[in-house]
Amino acid sequence: MSIELQNIHFSYGRVKALNGVSLSIGEGATGLLGPNGAGKSTLLKIMLGFLTPSEGQGKVLGYDVRTEQKSIRRLVGYMPEDECFIPGMDAVTFTALMGELSGMPRQEAMKRAHEVLFYVGLGESRYRLVDTYSAGMKQRLKLAQALVHDPKLLFLDEPTSNLDPTGRQEILELIGEVASVRDIRVLLSSNILADVELICDRVVIINHGEIAAVGRIEDLQMINYQLYELKIKGELDGFRQELEAAGCRLEETEDRLVKIYTPPDFDHKKIFMSAARNRVQVRQFIRSRTSLEDLFARVVGVD
Ligand SMILES: Nc1ncnc2c1ncn2[C@@H]1O[C@H](COP(=O)(O)OP(=O)(O)OP(=O)(O)O)[C@@H](O)[C@H]1O
Ligand SMILES: [Mg+2]
């Protein structure tokens, strides 16, 4: 396990930011999805040991978040949501300094700073003052400083905020590459479903300081689908093949009970037409919604 949290509570004075968060995250890329104020940044800061939970325990890569912060920071790269730059410093000096702060020897940190800046596409601009960077360059520099010490796990806090569509696409491509090609585990905090869908294979939905849902992205993608529950009589195979060819997904939940997820704009009459063609009797037909759809709608406020 990369991350294991049990019953984490945290308050800023009277503001309860996390209210009993328990979570296990394994390999791959995971999205931490939630609206503004949900507690995403607070949770990342707890896992890095910047904030101490008032209750609960947690481990990151096997190290205790309360007592082994140094080991955690050596192995975890962190891209904060706010600007983390030092005014008057050029990009390579800044990145090397961040490497040193993560426990690297000075010379090695400088060597890696050059490499990692080329990697994120800032090679040509690495001696420029960070103050002169565009928003897109700043985000890439934030990613570079998170990668400088070769972390096993990356925490990215809203890496696409403040970016235009091109800048957003560029940083997402880089993150996707880091997550797959470079074999680093990623936890991507975001309030944009599309970003999470692009990068992650699993998602954790957080709202009001509590975990609202955990699941595979494939299940989350079903939120655009309409769900029908049918009781049928007859042979399912031909019926299934026809509907699957039309983009539906069928699940047989128990004997003669079938769930059909249909894509957006799919006319449900086609289900009856296909049933008739395949001599399947529809005994019951209930239009329902996926539970994840309901959850997500409640959490992010879309419908
Ligand atoms: N330094 C602080 N002092 C007081 N309250 C805070 C502080 N930081 C966060 N909060 C509050 O704690 C709650 C959780 O905030 P947090 O920043 O973790 O949410 P978030 O999911 O990262 O939101 P966003 O998407 O806006 O970054 C919010 O109600 C927020 O107002
Ligand atoms: Mg935040």
Side-chain angles (χ1 to χ4, degrees), residues 178-197:
V178 169
S180 55
V181 182
R182 306 197 48 158
D183 197 27
I184 298 175
R185 298 168 191 186
V186 170
L187 184 61
L188 171 77
S189 144
S190 178
N191 49 36
I192 305 167
L193 179 59
D195 290 1
V196 171
E197 273 181 324

Side-chain angles (χ1 to χ4, degrees), residues 78-80 84-86 89-96 98 113 116-117 120-122 125-126 128-131 133-148 171 174:
Y78 173 48
M79 182 171 169
C84 55
F85 308 121
I86 301 166
M89 207 177 256
D90 65 47
V92 75
T93 310
F94 170 74
T95 309
M98 290 299 133
V116 85
L117 286 168
V120 301
L122 293 174
S125 328
R126 66 194 191 281
R128 245 169 76 182
L129 285 187
V130 173
D131 318 49
Y133 271 24
S134 71
M137 292 167 86
K138 282 181 177 170
Q139 285 308 82
R140 280 187 274 154
L141 177 57
K142 276 206 246 167
L143 181 62
Q145 64 78 33
L147 287 168
V148 66
I171 196 97
L174 260 174

Side-chain angles (χ1 to χ4, degrees), residues 75 83 111 158 208 249:
L75 296 171
E83 274 204 14
K111 186 168 162 277
E158 309 214 17
H208 296 312
R249 198 178 90 167

